[in-house]
Amino acid sequence: MAVAIAPGSCGELVQGVVDGRYFLVTCPVSWYSEVEIIPGKDGPALPHQRKLRQAVCTWLDKHGYAVEPFLVRVRSSLPRGKGMASSSADIAAACVAAAAAKGCAITPQEIAALAVAIEPSDGIFFEGIVAFDHVAGAWCEMLGTPPPMTLAIFDTGGRVDTVRFNQRADLQTLNRAKEADVRRAFALVKEGLRTADPCLIGAGATLSAVDNQTILEKRGLEAAIACVSGHGAVGINAAHSGTVIGVLFDDKCLAGLPACVRQLQREQADWRYLGQAKLVSGGIFAQ
């Protein structure tokens, strides 16, 4: 028996295409998926376990282990279909747990290859905050560790199928049209992480979220940005292929967060407040 825990995300800090390469900047948060692997037992495979079981079986086969029955238990605080990396967290934690059950380790690069072979993936299994090629898994750049920041997380409504979203015929054209702003957003977030400046991180994330409106609109986003700045937030980030947004606060300036949440709940009737989370470093650990 082995257990591993992986963080989810609140969308991404930045996402787009630069020089023909898809990438995202991870936004790992303190909501987690815990996966327990029990070898030698069998049980019903739940629908949300299909992807993680596929990744585990691929890893076992690749390393010469017989693919024998195993039971999976998933305990997660991450809603599905919202852009919070629920599948990526499940897959990553399951792979780490499966490796631990065999008495060995698995690298983030191995997890990335397994994950993107199934569907476009978040990079929350890499430590810190990274820029990650979420489509091909061919590139990862460590950007740093986050300064103390808190997100007030809202669901703007609906669900998004990651695979179908990334198969859109117009996606590449729309991403190319906003490449210049994506470069600026990336530069701001990168510098914000280098200097531990939440304001720069928030500015870059907000720019990327607004630019993504041409690809996946979140009604009320622009009005919300005007609202949150009056309560001391440093910006808003979005799930670029999901439905959640995060209102970003420097932990040194959290006094306005409760009033900000109340105002958004009044003004954005279609949004649902999910709660608060800390911006954390990515990475998975086995128990």
Side-chain angles (χ1 to χ4, degrees):
M1 183 179 72
V3 180
I5 297 174
S9 74
C10 178
E12 304 80 27
L13 293 174
V14 180
Q15 183 169 313
V17 172
V18 171
D19 295 330
R21 178 171 56 194
Y22 285 91
F23 82 103
L24 58 78
V25 176
T26 56
C27 183
V29 295
S30 57
W31 293 1
Y32 298 90
S33 177
E34 178 184 282
V35 178
E36 182 179 11
I37 300 288
I38 307 174
K41 288 194 174 184
D42 207 352
L46 301 176
H48 68 271
Q49 295 181 2
R50 178 185 59 81
K51 296 171 186 176
L52 70 86
R53 294 184 74 94
Q54 180 181 344
V56 168
C57 290
T58 300
W59 182 84
L60 290 169
D61 182 66
K62 179 181 178 182
H63 289 271
Y65 296 110
V67 181
E68 299 174 341
F70 60 91
L71 182 64
V72 178
R73 292 176 179 157
V74 179
R75 291 173 285 273
S76 178
S77 56
L78 302 167
R80 300 186 181 278
K82 300 293 184 181
M84 297 197 71
S86 58
S87 292
S88 297
D90 287 353
I91 288 170
C95 288
V96 169
K102 295 297 184 182
C104 56
I106 183 171
T107 67
Q109 290 77 14
E110 285 184 276
I111 297 171
L114 291 165
V116 299
I118 297 170
E119 66 178 11
S121 174
D122 200 281
I124 46 81
F125 31 80
F126 289 98
E127 293 184 0
I129 290 181
V130 301
F132 175 63
D133 175 353
H134 57 287
V135 176
W139 174 60
C140 178
E141 179 183 347
M142 171 64 171
L143 303 179
T145 56
M149 295 178 68
T150 295
L151 296 87
I153 302 174
F154 288 84
D155 178 17
T156 62
R159 294 173 68 90
V160 176
D161 183 296
T162 303
V163 174
R164 289 184 179 179
F165 176 87
N166 282 278
Q167 291 174 342
R168 283 177 50 174
D170 62 347
L171 191 58
Q172 191 171 36
T173 299
L174 291 171
N175 270 304
R176 283 176 177 167
K178 66 187 184 77
E179 182 170 342
D181 279 344
V182 169
R183 287 179 183 274
R184 285 195 289 271
F186 183 37
L188 285 166
V189 170
K190 195 172 183 178
E191 181 65 9
L193 289 166
R194 189 188 71 81
T195 59
D197 187 336
C199 291
L200 290 178
I201 294 170
T206 303
L207 176 58
S208 189
V210 170
D211 275 350
N212 201 61
Q213 291 286 79
T214 59
I215 296 177
L216 184 62
E217 183 183 10
K218 292 171 177 61
R219 287 180 295 178
L221 181 69
E222 287 80 1
I225 290 169
C227 161
V228 303
S229 62
H231 293 284
V234 296
I236 278 182
N237 81 301
H240 293 67
S241 58
T243 67
V244 295
I245 66 102
V247 183
L248 301 163
F249 282 85
D250 182 341
D251 276 5
K252 297 176 182 177
C253 306
L254 289 176
L257 191 153
C260 179
V261 169
R262 289 194 297 269
Q263 185 171 347
L264 285 175
Q265 287 177 311
R266 288 194 305 269
E267 295 181 357
Q268 305 295 336
D270 294 336
W271 292 14
R272 182 166 65 96
Y273 180 52
L274 300 182
Q276 294 180 32
K278 295 293 184 183
L279 185 62
V280 299
S281 288
I284 309 133
F285 57 91
Q287 290 188 319

